[in-house]
Amino acid sequence: MHLDHYKYHHYTGPARLEKSINSLVGIVEGITIDQAVNAREVQFLNDWLAEHAEVANRHPYNELIPVLNTALADGVLTADERDDILWLCNKLQSSEFFDAITTDLQRLHAILGAILADGVITEAELTGLSAWLADHDHLQRCWPYDEIHSLVVSVMADKKIDEQEQKMLRSFFSEFIAVLDDRTITAPPVMIDGDIVGLCAVCPDIALPGSVFCFTGASSRYTRNQLADVVRQAGGEFVNTVTQKVHYLIIGADGNPCWAYACYGRKVEKAVKMRKEGSRILIVHEHDFHDAVADA
């Protein structure tokens, strides 16, 4: 092995990945165990970053390290930032990152793209897709399995696809053709009977005055504090945590198409769960938020 590859080799493979992330988890838990973080403890976390600098642009560190850098930019690690880091580390653990769920979700994305490859979605294809979904019901509660299953069941209720349903299916399935694009997370443009089917609402009606907003992810235009100022100037309230009082969770538009998890996060996961439990919280793409502000 070439000498230049030794440092990178040190962090490759499931076992080495798990070890380095476990070390990070331990550091974060250790420095926050007393509910307070001082400058020397923050530096200890920065030392982990420095040790992994040479793999910062390699997956999955390219989604983990930016989250750490953002959290540590002000020299303070808040409880919310700590929870975000630990959530992401958990997602990237080898027991989840390399398991059958990840593999099967990637297969599902490819299946949807392949079904639309000829530009037409047939009843036979949806029947086959329905059978595949039934055989992989361990993916339930993993986006977009539930949404796809709901869509297929709705369309196939009368065992035929009409023109409007064909258009809706093509619109949704087309999002999975660009497999290196994060649109499958941030902007699937599908609704059924007024309900959100994809993750983000489509053409949402955003009421700014009196509404409560929370943000997740990286903005393509503003810092988090600047976004909070925009909300307040428009008469809304900005909060850092997703709760039942939040009306809108805004997903930042500056996602990395190579990210598996950091293009959404703990807040989105919680909001999706709340949505499925009947909450009226809307998950909105940042671009729609900016449009609402401009039109106000």
Side-chain angles (χ1 to χ4, degrees):
M1 179 181 295
H2 194 281
L3 289 175
D4 290 344
H5 296 163
Y6 274 110
K7 289 185 178 180
Y8 170 62
H9 174 74
H10 180 67
Y11 302 111
T12 57
R16 285 179 290 275
L17 170 63
E18 184 171 18
K19 181 178 180 180
S20 67
I21 293 179
N22 279 338
S23 296
L24 174 61
V25 170
I27 292 171
V28 173
E29 290 177 331
I31 67 177
T32 60
I33 203 165
D34 59 354
Q35 307 301 313
V37 180
N38 59 45
R40 292 185 65 180
E41 289 171 332
V42 170
Q43 183 55 48
F44 193 63
L45 190 51
N46 275 315
D47 290 341
W48 185 96
L49 283 169
E51 184 180 349
H52 294 76
E54 295 191 11
V55 292
N57 294 322
R58 297 184 181 274
H59 191 63
Y61 297 97
N62 61 344
E63 60 177 301
L64 176 58
I65 289 178
V67 172
L68 287 169
N69 285 332
T70 299
L72 297 176
D74 57 0
V76 177
L77 186 67
T78 67
D80 203 45
E81 290 168 339
R82 175 203 63 200
D83 291 344
D84 281 340
I85 292 169
L86 293 178
W87 179 90
L88 181 54
C89 286
N90 180 63
K91 290 294 184 183
L92 297 176
Q93 291 289 344
S94 62
S95 59
E96 182 168 342
F97 190 71
F98 293 100
D99 69 3
I101 289 180
T102 299
T103 300
D104 285 343
L105 282 175
Q106 291 171 345
R107 287 175 59 195
L108 177 56
H109 285 210
I111 287 170
L112 297 176
I115 287 175
L116 189 59
D118 60 359
V120 178
I121 301 171
T122 67
E123 289 84 356
E125 286 173 327
L126 285 195
T127 299
L129 176 58
S130 180
W132 190 95
L133 293 172
D135 289 339
H136 295 79
D137 59 0
H138 61 283
L139 298 177
Q140 288 180 358
R141 296 179 299 278
C142 296
W143 190 88
Y145 178 94
D146 292 342
E147 285 77 6
I148 293 170
H149 182 268
S150 175
L151 180 59
V152 171
V153 170
S154 174
V155 170
M156 292 299 289
D158 58 359
K159 301 188 183 330
K160 61 181 180 181
I161 305 173
D162 62 30
E163 183 177 348
Q164 182 179 0
E165 290 170 337
Q166 181 72 221
K167 181 178 179 180
M168 180 173 59
L169 287 167
R170 286 200 303 267
S171 177
F172 186 59
F173 283 28
S174 67
E175 297 298 325
F176 297 87
I177 293 177
V179 295
L180 296 181
D181 194 312
D182 76 332
R183 289 179 303 159
T184 55
I185 293 292
T186 56
V190 179
M191 299 182 75
I192 296 180
D193 296 330
D195 293 326
I196 305 169
V197 176
L199 185 62
C200 289
V202 181
C203 300
D205 183 12
I206 301 176
L208 294 166
S211 296
V212 180
F213 293 81
C214 185
F215 289 85
T216 186
S219 169
S220 60
R221 299 190 190 183
Y222 302 113
T223 66
R224 188 62 54 88
N225 288 337
Q226 289 171 331
L227 284 168
D229 289 339
V230 171
V231 169
R232 296 184 185 112
Q233 289 170 8
E237 179 183 351
F238 175 86
V239 297
N240 288 312
T241 305
V242 173
T243 65
Q244 291 291 338
K245 78 171 188 175
V246 172
H247 298 103
Y248 304 97
L249 175 62
I250 312 298
I251 297 182
D254 199 14
N256 185 326
C258 296
W259 288 349
Y261 296 107
C263 49
Y264 68 107
R266 187 170 52 90
K267 293 174 183 175
V268 169
E269 190 173 71
K270 183 175 181 180
V272 169
K273 182 175 184 293
M274 288 168 55
R275 188 187 78 194
K276 292 179 179 179
E277 292 172 348
S279 172
R280 301 305 299 172
I281 185 172
L282 276 182
I283 304 174
V284 179
H285 194 274
E286 180 187 354
H287 293 161
D288 290 316
F289 169 74
H290 293 315
D291 288 344
V293 171
D295 292 340

